[in-house]
Amino acid sequence: MDIVYPTIHWGYLLPVILPVCGAVLVLMWDAFLARGERSVIIIISLLTLAAALGVTLGARALPGLAASFGGMYLFDGFTQFLYVVILFASIFAVLIAAAQRELDDTPAGEYFGLILFATSGMMLMAATRNLLMIFVGLEVFSLSLYVLAGYLRARPEGNEASLKYFLLGSFASGFLLYGMALVYGATGSVDLIEIATRLHENPASRGAAFLMGLGFMVVGLGFKVAAAPFYMWTPDVYEGAPTAVTAFMSVGPKAAAFAAFFRVFLSAGDAGGSFDAVLWVMAVLTMSLANLIAIWQTCVKRMLAYSSIAHAGYLMVALVASRSSAELATSGFLYYMLVYVFMNMGAFCVLILISNMREDGSTKLDNLAGLASFRPGLAAAMAVFMVSLSGLPPTGGFVAKFHVFSAALNGGYVWLTVIAVLNSVVAVYYYLRLVVVMYMREPQGGEVRRAPHPGWSYAAAALTLAVASTLQLGIFPSSVLDFAHRSTVFFN
Amino acid sequence: MPGIITSILFLPMLGGLLLLFAREDARKGSGSVRAFALAVSLATFALSAVMYLGFRADYAGMQFVEEAAWIPRFGIAYKVGVDGISLLLVMLTTILTPVAILFSFEDVRKKTRLYYMSLLFLETGMLGVFFALDFFLFYVFWEGMLIPMYLIIGVWGGSRRIYAAVKFFLYTMAGSVLMLVAIIWLYFASGVGTFDILAHFREPVDAALQPWLFAAFAISFAIKVPIFPFHTWLPDAHVEAPTAGSVILAGVLLKMGTYGFMRLAMPLFPTAAREFAFLIICLALVGIIYGALMAMVQTDVKKLVAYSSVSHLGFVMLGLFSFNLLGASGSVIQMVNHGISSGALFLIVGFIYSRRHTREIEEFGGLLRVMPVFSTFFIITALSSIGLPGLNGFVGEFTILLGAFERNAWFAVFAATGVVLSAVYMLWMLQRVLFGEVSVRANLGLADMNRREWLVMLPMVALMFWIGLYPKPLFERIEPSAKVWLSQVNRRVLRVEKAPERKLRKSALAYAQRVEVK
């Protein structure tokens, strides 16, 4: 029997290898060299992530060279852009964790090690055409996040978050795996290109088993991106987890899971057509429910949790449009995701700095009252993020929404677009309420003017990067838009 | 003059950004922030005056056009230009902004840096709307200027300022997102492959699509104008905004709605515009009369002026949808006139409010004896708003009435009722505030206008007389562009009228629809 050795392009693997090595190094460093040296560990994590980002940006996804390990690992244009998204998300996750006071007394090695492991998992999930690899990637980052969600062990909310996320997450993983098994049963392959070919050639393979399989996969992935009706866990988990982890959870897993969503549905092609209506309804429900509930929140962290669900809804719009308007929808999704990293991470960063000012670290809306009069810079940054999250010009959020809505209209989904834009009006109400509270109310006192946290320079770096990128992506979007359009190359 | 529009457009924004490095004006009666803001806005006015002088009155198309690639992938460009329609509105903006800033010198004491930054950013936003020749650019300015206006109402406004600011924002936003959908839809449906507004004028839009797109644009603009019944945000926003905010809001922002109808909604979708014309004229007439009646029963001077705006802008809509030259050029003049006279009225309300901290009509009476100069200014402004011949208001309203009469005499009859009513509420208000005995003791010691207030009012009154007595240069600049506009809105796209045949139209007449007939 001949053994076929798979082709491996090590250069393309480097962006994943680096964070894994970084994670091991961080763990070892913490265990043997300098117990409690947070700054060294933070810097190692940042360096490995920055190196991975550099390699990703420097790489050129070449046709024909994309697949390694027989398609288990795939570095195509789509992967490249998502790597940028995920790595930026992780860099922010490290920066803002370094600035969060509540995390000061927790073991640093494990925390940042887990962040790096989660990063590698997300990257793997985005960079494959193999269903099993999608699952492996998903489990790698999910397990890291289960632990991170309960990282503040003394807090009951943290334990609740962790347990809830773990139980429901495993349940969803089960659905996903079952769905994959059914798809395998119907088509005889776990490779998406193979699946696409067989679906095309053999109409019998598009039967009930395949559709059921696809349906279960929608449930599993829908859980990870927090789409309605599978979003119930999100607010509690997001609120209970440490803020820095919440920020990471609201961005990274979304990018990875949506990547899988796009890959699966684009390869299913017409065979997945019967799911258009399902995804349509899910998109509408996700946006509308999340926005309506977000209005009533008085805790900023919980509000941002619902806002992240709503944004998953807008991304679902891109997914719905991806069959009829593939290029616009995919590039729209990529651009939206990148903008979302900057604006959402930035908002969470401000939130962390505000909760640092208080003894109890609370994130109530009232704590922001009059922020503009005693921390004008912080308030201005938050205002920029809120404007961008609302999708108003001249910020990246506007161009991203414009792009996704263009895709939907081009695909013929007029009513879906109308519902989406009306949703963004509802969203403006609660985003701007933060501006109201910061600029139009008087400070109510109670914030402890403590000495600045030693990690404030990390937060400052994160905020500068986030504000600059949010504005740049809104005012001069052209070069990144071109990058996103070049990145709509799949499997090749 | 290459680059003149870009300089006018971004000078205020640049000034606003420079204010980031300034220190707050702490004490009363001094301050570098406000002086700097005033200087920037005056420099903007000077530049725009240079543009006005260089404007060729005999040329109908866009002038001083500048174009640069922005997002080439979507066919989005930075393209700006000015014609006879937008020229006067640009001038109005650059005149009202320094006036508003000068008024705010004493009026605004807290967070001065943010305040003047907002005003300057707002100026760039408003100018951008009038200059933009690209849908995307237009929309960016259209939405972008909401944020500074929102801050101006919400931070420096009256007691119910937050409610008013949020209401203003949500109303406007709800309308404009529908316009965004329509813009993108138009982009894909027309197949022009660009967001260039002028390129879309050349390509007639499918008659079946026009009503939808027109409706989406029209709702957005109707909320801004505001046309009855979309006006409910206006009294709140005007009353709660600080005086300078009201001046800008009434003076310029409302014009963005009528300008939107004129620049985009009507010439892009002429067939639909004609179909909707009767409805919109009816709503405009209702607005004219309703606004006047509401103004009559107000006890608060500022609210009275706010409702008078609803009435006066009804005239503009009436003129536009008369589809004739008199109506169109009258509307442009009326937009400018309303900007001047209602801006001046809000300033006057601001003067008495800063003295007495109330705007209730009952609290005043006999001010003519105490403040003769102020009263003179007040009377001139009120008469200009009523439309007394010799002052600016008359020119616009009379031309519009002629245009409306040409279309349908009944329209003119109803609209003329509005003129009469406006005389009733204005003169009645003047009588109660200025004439008679001084009824409230607190009014006895009121100081008359000081030097700064003179400076604020003089340009306004000068403009009232200038436009009232010698409007010819303005009409000369408007008319060539208005004629082009008229030919755009009067073109017809062939369509089948009968209902049963509608289904066939798409296949059999798909080609024919593209053919223009006069």
Side-chain angles (χ1 to χ4, degrees):
Chain A
M1 182 178 134
D2 282 338
I3 297 173
V4 182
Y5 289 99
T7 353
I8 301 166
H9 304 287
W10 290 101
Y12 286 157
L13 273 166
L14 207 54
V16 188
I17 294 176
L18 278 168
V20 175
C21 292
V24 175
L25 184 63
V26 159
L27 281 174
M28 292 300 130
W29 196 288
D30 196 34
F32 298 111
L33 287 170
R35 189 98 215 152
E37 265 299 322
R38 279 176 73 82
S39 54
V40 179
I41 286 170
I42 290 165
I43 285 167
I44 294 177
S45 317
L46 281 177
L47 283 180
T48 47
L49 289 170
L53 186 63
V55 173
T56 308
L57 287 173
R60 284 190 53 199
L62 290 174
L65 291 180
S68 302
F69 304 108
M72 284 285 205
Y73 180 81
L74 191 73
F75 191 88
D76 52 9
F78 194 60
T79 306
Q80 189 182 16
F81 199 98
L82 281 163
Y83 274 12
V84 175
V85 170
I86 293 168
L87 286 168
F88 265 121
S90 314
I91 288 172
F92 274 109
V94 172
L95 286 173
I96 65 180
Q100 192 176 358
R101 201 181 284 275
E102 282 177 307
L103 291 170
D104 279 352
D105 305 324
T106 56
E110 285 101 90
Y111 185 92
F112 293 102
L114 284 169
I115 293 268
L116 291 173
F117 278 130
T119 307
S120 68
M122 292 165 192
M123 292 167 84
L124 284 177
M125 187 173 175
T128 181
R129 61 169 203 237
N130 192 300
L131 289 182
L132 289 179
M133 205 50 205
I134 288 179
F135 185 74
V136 170
L138 181 123
E139 283 302 301
V140 169
F141 80 71
S142 295
L143 285 172
S144 315
L145 289 179
Y146 297 149
V147 180
L148 284 172
Y151 208 69
L152 295 172
R153 261 171 297 186
R155 284 178 50 194
E157 300 92 351
N159 291 326
E160 183 200 337
S162 184
L163 190 66
K164 211 169 207 169
Y165 193 26
F166 175 65
L167 286 178
L168 292 172
S170 332
F171 196 50
S173 301
F175 267 98
L176 183 65
L177 201 56
Y178 192 32
M180 288 172 175
L182 283 168
V183 170
Y184 174 71
T187 60
S189 177
V190 285
D191 185 292
L192 286 172
I193 290 185
E194 279 290 303
I195 292 175
T197 324
R198 298 196 187 167
L199 285 173
H200 185 68
E201 286 168 357
N202 179 12
S205 64
R206 297 180 215 161
F210 172 75
L211 290 179
M212 253 173 87
L214 209 53
F216 281 135
M217 286 176 72
V218 168
V219 174
L221 291 173
F223 177 87
K224 285 294 166 191
V225 302
F230 315 111
Y231 70 92
M232 297 297 183
W233 57 278
T234 322
D236 293 338
V237 173
Y238 281 18
E239 198 184 2
T243 312
V245 177
T246 308
F248 190 41
M249 282 201 299
S250 67
V251 178
K254 269 202 181 66
F258 264 114
F261 244 138
F262 270 86
R263 285 198 195 275
V264 168
F265 272 92
L266 283 173
S267 8
D270 289 340
S274 40
F275 277 90
D276 280 1
V278 176
L279 294 176
W280 195 97
V281 171
M282 278 173 75
V284 169
L285 280 181
T286 312
M287 293 184 287
S288 313
L289 286 177
N291 279 324
L292 288 177
I293 303 174
I295 290 179
W296 306 104
Q297 303 307 316
T298 53
C299 166
V300 181
K301 201 169 161 187
R302 208 172 165 86
M303 186 208 90
L304 283 176
Y306 280 107
S307 123
S308 97
I309 302 173
H311 283 277
Y314 301 127
L315 292 167
M316 291 288 289
V317 172
L319 182 66
V320 172
S322 70
R323 240 165 41 78
S324 40
S325 166
E327 196 201 333
L328 266 180
T330 316
S331 55
F333 154 67
L334 290 174
Y335 194 82
Y336 201 113
M337 210 60 235
L338 186 66
V339 172
Y340 185 63
V341 168
F342 292 115
M343 59 193 186
N344 205 44
M345 284 300 198
F348 272 108
C349 182
V350 176
L351 191 60
I352 284 178
L353 292 177
I354 290 163
S355 69
N356 274 353
M357 284 190 261
R358 304 209 153 233
E359 205 65 66
D360 57 354
S362 92
T363 52
K364 285 263 172 291
L365 185 62
D366 294 338
N367 296 358
L368 273 77
L371 189 70
S373 39
F374 59 95
R375 287 285 169 84
L378 214 52
M382 193 62 157
V384 170
F385 301 136
M386 288 304 127
V387 167
S388 184
L389 284 166
S390 333
L392 291 169
T395 55
F398 170 65
V399 180
K401 281 219 170 81
F402 173 82
H403 197 152
V404 167
F405 296 160
S406 298
L409 281 172
N410 191 35
Y413 294 97
V414 177
W415 287 112
L416 183 61
T417 319
V418 170
I419 296 173
V421 294
L422 291 179
N423 257 294
S424 65
V425 179
V426 177
V428 162
Y429 180 75
Y430 61 83
Y431 289 130
L432 283 186
R433 197 168 51 187
L434 252 74
V435 179
V436 168
V437 170
M438 289 189 302
Y439 281 88
M440 304 174 193
R441 291 231 196 109
E442 297 307 317
Q444 43 160 221
E447 67 279 353
V448 192
R449 309 277 173 101
R450 292 198 277 198
H453 186 268
W456 72 269
S457 52
Y458 296 114
L463 276 183
T464 315
L465 178 63
V467 170
S469 307
T470 306
L471 291 177
Q472 195 257 327
L473 289 170
I475 301 171
F476 301 108
S478 204
S479 57
V480 183
L481 269 181
D482 284 343
F483 181 28
H485 276 260
R486 281 199 306 278
S487 305
T488 53
V489 182
F490 280 94
F491 302 139
N492 200 337
Chain B
M1 281 177 280
I4 180 108
I5 290 188
T6 305
S7 330
I8 298 172
L9 185 51
F10 290 108
L11 184 65
M13 193 171 117
L14 185 71
L17 287 176
L18 286 176
L19 279 182
L20 277 177
F21 305 102
R23 290 247 302 278
E24 290 279 345
D25 288 353
R27 284 183 305 118
K28 182 190 168 188
S30 73
S32 53
V33 168
R34 58 190 201 181
F36 180 76
L38 182 65
V40 170
S41 64
L42 284 175
T44 314
F45 169 67
L47 277 176
S48 70
V50 171
M51 184 189 73
Y52 183 84
L53 294 176
F55 185 86
R56 281 179 50 200
D58 54 343
Y59 181 69
M62 287 291 163
Q63 305 190 27
F64 310 111
V65 175
E66 293 169 41
E67 189 167 7
W70 186 15
I71 311 176
R73 181 165 291 280
F74 284 108
I76 294 168
Y78 168 77
K79 188 173 181 186
V80 288
V82 69
D83 70 350
I85 298 171
S86 48
L87 175 76
L88 296 182
L89 293 169
V90 167
M91 296 310 295
L92 180 69
T93 312
T94 57
I95 291 171
L96 282 183
T97 307
V99 166
I101 289 178
L102 189 62
F103 179 90
S104 311
F105 269 30
E106 298 295 320
D107 203 38
V108 173
R109 302 272 169 76
K110 67 170 185 179
K111 295 184 187 155
T112 51
R113 198 174 58 157
L114 185 64
Y115 177 79
Y116 291 109
M117 273 176 73
S118 304
L119 269 180
L120 290 173
F121 277 124
L122 186 62
E123 186 176 12
T124 291
M126 297 182 301
L127 290 172
V129 167
F130 296 135
F131 279 137
L133 292 180
D134 180 283
F135 281 115
F136 191 86
L137 189 68
F138 175 86
Y139 192 81
V140 165
F141 285 121
W142 175 270
E143 286 260 284
M145 58 110 272
L146 285 183
I147 298 159
M149 193 67 225
Y150 169 74
L151 287 177
I152 288 174
I153 300 176
V155 179
W156 297 274
S159 52
R160 287 167 69 240
R161 59 182 193 271
I162 293 176
Y163 169 78
V166 172
K167 191 169 178 182
F168 161 76
F169 202 107
L170 288 182
Y171 263 65
T172 325
M173 172 100 186
S176 45
V177 291
L178 291 178
M179 177 167 71
L180 179 66
V181 175
I183 288 175
I184 304 174
W185 197 355
L186 178 66
Y187 168 75
F188 287 118
S190 68
V192 179
T194 167
F195 280 88
D196 188 335
I197 292 173
L198 300 181
H200 278 273
F201 283 160
R202 289 191 287 271
E203 188 75 12
V205 180
D206 185 347
L209 207 53
Q210 282 200 17
W212 293 97
L213 296 178
F214 179 80
F217 274 83
I219 288 178
S220 166
F221 297 140
I223 290 173
K224 202 77 157 194
V225 172
I227 297 177
F228 180 89
F230 301 107
H231 65 281
T232 56
W233 63 271
L234 180 129
D236 288 308
H238 273 77
V239 170
E240 297 306 322
T243 301
S246 306
V247 171
I248 299 282
L249 198 58
V252 186
L253 251 68
L254 305 188
K255 280 23 164 248
M256 287 168 42
T258 45
Y259 176 77
F261 269 108
M262 196 165 184
R263 170 68 75 224
L264 298 177
M266 296 175 70
L268 280 172
F269 317 114
T271 313
R274 270 192 305 276
E275 280 171 9
F276 282 96
F278 186 73
L279 174 70
I280 292 182
I281 287 182
C282 287
L283 289 178
L285 291 173
V286 171
I288 290 174
I289 294 167
Y290 169 86
L293 290 176
M294 284 302 280
M296 215 180 288
V297 297
Q298 298 307 317
T299 56
D300 179 320
V301 190
K302 207 172 180 185
K303 220 162 182 170
L304 184 147
V305 180
Y307 273 108
S308 81
S309 289
V310 178
S311 179
H312 286 298
L313 283 163
F315 278 98
V316 179
M317 294 311 298
L318 177 64
L320 288 180
F321 279 86
S322 297
F323 289 99
N324 52 37
L325 189 62
L326 283 170
S329 37
S331 291
V332 179
I333 292 276
Q334 172 75 355
M335 288 187 218
V336 177
N337 286 340
H338 176 259
I340 295 166
S341 44
S342 76
L345 278 173
F346 277 118
L347 289 171
I348 281 173
V349 175
F351 295 151
I352 51 173
Y353 184 74
S354 62
R355 286 169 171 74
R356 283 289 322 277
H357 294 282
T358 176
R359 295 180 300 247
E360 290 297 317
I361 296 176
E362 282 179 6
E363 288 289 315
F364 300 97
L367 286 190
L368 186 62
R369 288 157 196 259
V370 194
M371 306 163 72
V373 182
F374 166 84
S375 304
T376 315
F377 276 122
F378 198 170
I379 292 168
I380 295 173
T381 311
L383 291 178
S384 133
S385 175
I386 295 170
L388 186 80
L391 289 168
N392 61 343
F394 173 73
V395 180
E397 282 180 4
F398 188 68
T399 323
I400 290 174
L401 284 177
L402 287 180
F405 192 84
E406 206 177 292
R407 185 169 161 92
N408 184 336
W410 283 106
F411 294 158
V413 169
F414 279 110
T417 325
V419 182
V420 177
L421 287 174
S422 85
V424 173
Y425 64 76
M426 273 294 164
L427 294 178
W428 192 33
M429 188 262 288
L430 280 186
Q431 186 206 345
R432 284 179 291 166
V433 173
L434 297 184
F435 303 122
E437 295 299 317
V438 181
S439 53
V440 179
R441 286 189 69 83
N443 291 335
L444 277 171
L446 288 185
D448 209 339
M449 306 252 287
N450 61 29
R451 226 179 36 224
R452 185 181 54 86
E453 289 168 342
W454 264 94
L455 270 178
V456 168
M457 280 310 288
L458 266 184
M460 311 294 275
V461 174
L463 283 171
M464 286 173 202
F465 279 108
W466 180 41
I467 300 178
L469 297 173
Y470 188 55
K472 193 163 155 263
L474 302 187
F475 276 117
E476 272 172 7
R477 281 168 177 74
I478 295 170
E479 258 168 28
S481 302
K483 278 179 185 149
V484 174
W485 178 79
L486 210 60
S487 71
Q488 281 167 344
V489 297
N490 278 334
R491 75 181 166 191
R492 282 167 202 282
V493 178
L494 190 69
R495 59 171 303 160
V496 179
E497 305 289 348
K498 296 248 168 63
E501 289 168 57
R502 277 181 95 104
K503 274 182 190 164
L504 284 176
R505 191 189 53 216
K506 211 164 188 181
S507 52
L509 291 175
Y511 182 72
Q513 278 167 8
R514 296 266 160 194
V515 183
E516 271 184 69
V517 288
K518 281 273 171 192

